[in-house]
């Protein structure tokens, strides 16, 4: 019994305090490191053809596209992204300020309601609002007329009312870190007299707003990334963007080289947004003043009603009205017997999400384990590189995956996995790996080394320590990561639409297909299921905040 203990003591002297050094003999992990680096190389492989296409140029259709529609694609994308980000920022910052600074009735309900639009994917909101304003919809029945839901204003409207919670969440978190002391200092520096209110707002602008700037820029960048990733909304509303151009080039012209070049342009634009977000943060650092949270301002009368109304209107447009319309369509669909196939599609979607989740979790666990077994810049950088896919639009990832498959087919035709479930799983792993890597990384960090020492001293081998000691400790972390990955896969549309097998459909693809055929009553039950998945996502995000407010 003393031999394992002495061997553990010797291992400890050689490896120092490196986490999980005792999981492998002699503190050497070439196999773990090599396997992890190989997986990272596979995950980032879709971006290699994109970089090559920028140097080599597009395919046969590139010159035609460049001389005819490319300018329109770029201008439309820039304007749509800019307008949506600015207006969503106005709504999100205003809502965060009102909820944090004013004492209003039902604040906890208003907080949950204000982020509810995130539960409805933007493309579902698009189809739903078209039905609300179209002939035979509620607006027609109430007012006897219709409002064409097409073009710029419609696209910007659904993007803003569906995505402003991103800015709200980041700004509200920043506001909550500002203590009462900061606002009291601003008020005391404003002086007294007739110009006090003007001085107060001027001091507030110079004293508080700079501390919110990184959060605001971060939230606006998230909105811009989501708008750039959108495909169903602009194509349904007749707005030509780079994303719609990628689909048209591949499906319409069959030119993968030109589609790859367009996807590379989107990737460059996304990297530009990330650079803007980093520049917005700058080198400044803001430290929240200690003390109690800022005291809410009490308002009464008309001002109180106006503030509550201002908080209710955005979620009413982005969540309540679309859900009511979907519910009504679902009732009509069930009465007409048009809800056939929902169960089969749901089962197929769940099985696909389960396979993708298992694959992504296995890769994330291996990468994190390799990083903790052999800590250093190499594995730390590998983890960061493996997670870049979440900032890349799904359309770009899908085209990159297609380009990789085409290159592999030169070696063996069987490696062209386009139109296979394996190809979909590869694309999901490249895009959503970061969703699993980050929480699992946090779980490894919370693991106490003493438990590993004890297991090794009792003679347990590395694999037994990993499966019986390490992983069970953060089983809740694994469950949370698995749920978030599954939700993302279930709601995914661009990658699934581009890479799915023939006659293979998911809930998201069915909603898009049926809505494009103006068969919204048939699409409504599937859309409601996707909205329920979104509500689950919001609950996961907001549950810690609700518990903190209850404890306070």
């Amino acid at each position: 019994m003393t031999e394992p203990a002495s061997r553990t003591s010797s291992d400890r002297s050689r490896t120092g305090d490196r986490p999980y050094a005792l999981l492998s003999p002699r503190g050497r992990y070439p196999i773990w490191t090599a396997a992890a680096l190989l997986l990272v190389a596979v995950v980032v492989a879709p971006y290699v053809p994109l970089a090559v296409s920028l140097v080599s140029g597009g395919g046969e259709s590139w010159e035609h596209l460049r001389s005819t529609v490319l300018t329109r694609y770029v201008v439309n994308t820039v304007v749509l992204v800019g307008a949506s980000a600015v207006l969503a920022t106005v709504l999100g910052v205003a809502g965060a300020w009102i909820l944090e600074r004013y004492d209003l009735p039902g604040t906890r309900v208003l907080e949950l309601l204000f982020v509810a639009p995130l539960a409805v994917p933007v493309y579902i909101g698009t189809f739903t609002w078209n039905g609300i304003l179209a002939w035979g919809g509620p607006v027609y029945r109430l007012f006897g007329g219709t409002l064409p839901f097409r073009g710029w204003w419609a696209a910007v409207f659904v993007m803003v009312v569906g995505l402003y919670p991103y800015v709200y969440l980041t700004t509200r978190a920043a506001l909550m870190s500002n203590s009462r002391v900061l606002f009291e200092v601003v008020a005391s520096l404003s002086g007294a007299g007739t110009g006090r209110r003007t001085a107060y707002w001027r001091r507030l602008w110079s004293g508080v707003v700079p501390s919110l700037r990184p959060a605001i820029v971060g939230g606006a960048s998230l909105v811009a990334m989501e708008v750039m990733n959108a495909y169903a909304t602009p194509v349904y509303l007749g707005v030509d963007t780079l994303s719609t151009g990628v689909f048209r080039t591949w499906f319409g012209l069959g030119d993968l080289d030109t589609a790859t070049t367009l996807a590379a342009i989107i990737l460059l634009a996304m990297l530009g947004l990330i650079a803007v977000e980093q520049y917005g943060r700058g080198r400044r650092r803001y430290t929240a003043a200690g003390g109690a949270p800022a005291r809410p301002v009490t308002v009464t009368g008309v001002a109180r009603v106006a503030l509550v109304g201002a908080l209710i209107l955005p979620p009413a447009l982005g969540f309540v009205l679309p859900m009511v319309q979907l519910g009504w369509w679902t009732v009509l669909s069930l009465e007409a017997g048009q809800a056939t196939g929902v169960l089969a599609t749901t089962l197929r979607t769940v099985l696909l999400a389960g396979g993708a989740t298992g694959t992504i979790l296995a890769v994330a666990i291996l990468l994190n384990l390799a990083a903790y077994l052999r800590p250093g810049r190499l594995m730390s950088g590998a983890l960061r590189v493996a997670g870049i896919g979440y900032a890349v639009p799904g359309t770009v990832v899908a085209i990159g995956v297609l380009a990789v498959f085409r290159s592999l087919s030169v070696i063996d035709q069987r490696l062209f996995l386009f139109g296979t479930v394996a190809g979909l799983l590869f694309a999901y792993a490249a895009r959503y790996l970061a969703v699993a890597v980050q929480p699992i990384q946090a779980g490894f960090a919370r693991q106490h080394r003493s438990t590993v020492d004890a297991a090794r001293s009792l003679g347990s081998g590395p694999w037994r320590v990993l499966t019986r000691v390490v992983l069970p400790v953060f089983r809740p972390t694994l469950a949370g990561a698995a749920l978030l990955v599954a939700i993302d896969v279930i709601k995914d549309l661009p990658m699934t639409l581009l890479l799915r097998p023939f006659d293979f459909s998911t809930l998201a693809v069915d909603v898009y297909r049926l809505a494009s055929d103006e068969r919204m009553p048939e699409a409504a039950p599937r859309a409601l299921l996707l909205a329920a998945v979104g509500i689950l996502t919001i609950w996961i995000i907001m549950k810690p905040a609700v518990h903190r407010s209850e404890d306070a």
Side-chain angles (χ1 to χ4, degrees):
M1 294 299 294
T2 59
E3 184 180 353
S6 62
R7 186 172 63 248
T8 302
S9 177
S10 175
D11 288 343
R12 186 183 300 113
S13 65
R14 286 195 302 270
T15 59
D17 292 329
R18 286 187 299 174
Y20 304 101
L22 301 177
L23 284 177
S24 184
R26 300 184 182 179
R28 298 176 182 177
Y29 319 100
I31 296 178
W32 290 99
T33 303
L37 293 177
L38 178 62
L39 284 175
V40 171
V42 171
V43 168
V44 301
Y47 308 116
V48 176
L50 302 177
V52 172
S53 69
L54 291 175
V55 179
S56 61
E60 299 176 356
S61 308
W62 174 246
E63 290 299 329
H64 171 70
L65 289 178
R66 190 172 63 176
S67 61
T68 55
V69 296
L70 182 59
T71 301
R72 183 166 77 245
Y73 287 165
V74 174
V75 172
N76 288 354
T77 301
V78 170
V79 174
L80 182 60
V81 168
S84 301
V86 169
L87 294 177
T89 298
V90 172
L91 281 182
V93 172
W97 184 266
I98 293 172
L99 280 168
E100 184 64 24
R101 291 295 294 140
Y102 294 97
D103 183 15
L104 300 174
T107 299
R108 198 168 298 165
V109 175
L110 290 173
E111 288 174 348
L112 294 174
L113 183 63
F114 206 71
V115 299
L118 285 181
V120 182
V122 174
Y123 58 88
I124 292 180
T126 302
F127 304 144
T128 305
W129 270 103
N130 181 65
I132 292 173
L133 299 175
W135 183 89
V139 172
Y140 178 83
R141 291 195 297 269
L142 289 174
F143 303 105
T146 62
L147 183 61
F149 196 69
R150 287 290 186 274
W152 278 109
W153 75 271
V156 172
F157 171 77
V158 293
M159 295 290 186
V160 171
V161 300
L163 299 176
Y164 74 84
Y166 284 118
V167 185
Y168 162 77
L169 289 171
T170 56
T171 306
R172 182 72 190 281
L175 276 172
M176 291 175 69
S177 67
N178 286 322
S179 72
R180 183 185 308 171
V181 175
L182 180 59
F183 288 94
E184 289 177 350
V185 168
V186 170
S188 65
L189 292 176
S190 303
T194 56
R196 184 180 186 278
R197 183 175 296 274
T198 302
Y200 174 78
W201 285 106
R202 187 168 60 248
R203 296 283 185 183
L204 198 66
W205 180 263
S206 61
V208 177
V209 171
S211 67
L212 304 179
R213 188 179 302 154
I216 294 173
V217 173
S221 299
L222 289 174
V223 172
M225 291 177 185
E226 288 291 333
V227 175
M228 193 171 292
N229 184 41
Y231 165 71
T233 292
V235 75
Y236 186 77
L237 298 177
V239 180
D240 294 331
T241 63
L242 288 169
S243 290
T244 63
V246 170
F247 274 81
R248 288 174 181 172
T249 303
W250 171 237
F251 283 134
L253 302 176
D255 189 346
L256 182 57
D257 290 327
T258 301
T260 303
T261 303
L262 287 175
I265 294 175
I266 298 176
L267 181 60
L268 285 179
M270 193 65 66
L271 294 176
L273 286 175
I274 295 174
V276 168
E277 191 266 345
Q278 294 296 324
Y279 178 79
R281 293 177 183 271
R283 295 185 177 180
R284 302 177 183 179
R285 295 292 182 266
Y286 302 95
T287 303
R295 182 187 296 112
V297 178
T298 302
V299 291
T300 57
V302 177
R304 192 174 198 179
V305 174
L307 290 177
V308 173
L311 291 174
I312 292 177
L313 182 59
L317 297 175
F319 177 76
V320 177
L321 291 179
M323 291 298 289
V324 170
Q325 182 65 36
L326 287 175
W328 172 246
W329 276 333
T330 300
V331 172
L332 296 179
S333 177
L334 293 175
E335 289 180 348
Q338 296 177 335
T340 57
V342 175
L343 182 60
T345 304
T346 302
L347 179 60
R348 191 182 306 116
T349 304
V350 170
L351 290 176
L352 179 64
T357 300
T359 302
I360 292 172
L361 282 183
V363 174
I365 291 172
L366 192 151
L367 292 179
N368 277 289
L369 185 59
Y372 278 96
L373 286 173
R374 194 178 182 87
R377 292 183 179 180
L378 178 63
M379 288 309 306
S380 177
L383 278 180
R384 286 195 294 269
V385 170
I388 63 174
Y390 204 58
V392 179
T395 305
V396 175
V397 175
I399 291 298
V401 168
L402 282 173
V404 170
F405 289 164
R406 185 182 62 178
S407 300
L408 292 176
S409 67
V410 176
I411 303 173
D412 191 331
Q413 286 292 334
R414 291 173 295 182
L415 295 177
F416 189 69
L417 301 178
F418 170 65
T420 65
V421 174
L424 267 178
L425 295 181
F426 176 34
Y428 291 147
R431 177 89 202 280
Y432 299 123
L433 184 59
V435 180
V437 164
Q438 293 179 1
I440 292 175
Q441 187 177 15
F444 268 105
R446 291 194 298 269
Q447 173 75 40
H448 293 292
R449 177 174 172 169
S450 59
T451 58
V452 178
D453 288 351
R456 291 292 286 154
S457 68
L458 293 174
S460 297
W463 180 253
R464 186 177 180 86
V465 172
L466 173 65
T467 56
R468 296 295 183 90
V469 178
V470 176
L471 295 182
V473 169
F474 56 95
R475 189 176 297 164
T477 301
L478 287 176
L483 186 59
L484 290 175
V485 171
I487 288 172
D488 275 332
V489 172
I490 289 172
K491 294 168 62 176
D492 181 84
L493 178 61
M495 290 193 302
T496 309
L497 201 59
L498 274 168
L499 300 173
R500 65 193 175 109
F502 178 74
D503 201 25
F504 182 92
S505 188
T506 63
L507 289 173
V509 172
D510 263 7
V511 170
Y512 169 76
R513 178 178 57 82
L514 294 170
S516 298
D517 295 337
E518 301 297 338
R519 297 156 61 190
M520 275 310 301
E522 294 181 57
R526 299 165 173 85
L528 276 181
L529 287 174
L530 289 175
V533 170
I535 292 173
L536 179 60
T537 307
I538 291 177
W539 174 248
I540 294 173
I541 295 173
M542 297 299 294
K543 187 177 180 180
V546 171
H547 285 176
R548 282 196 299 269
S549 63
E550 289 176 351
D551 294 339

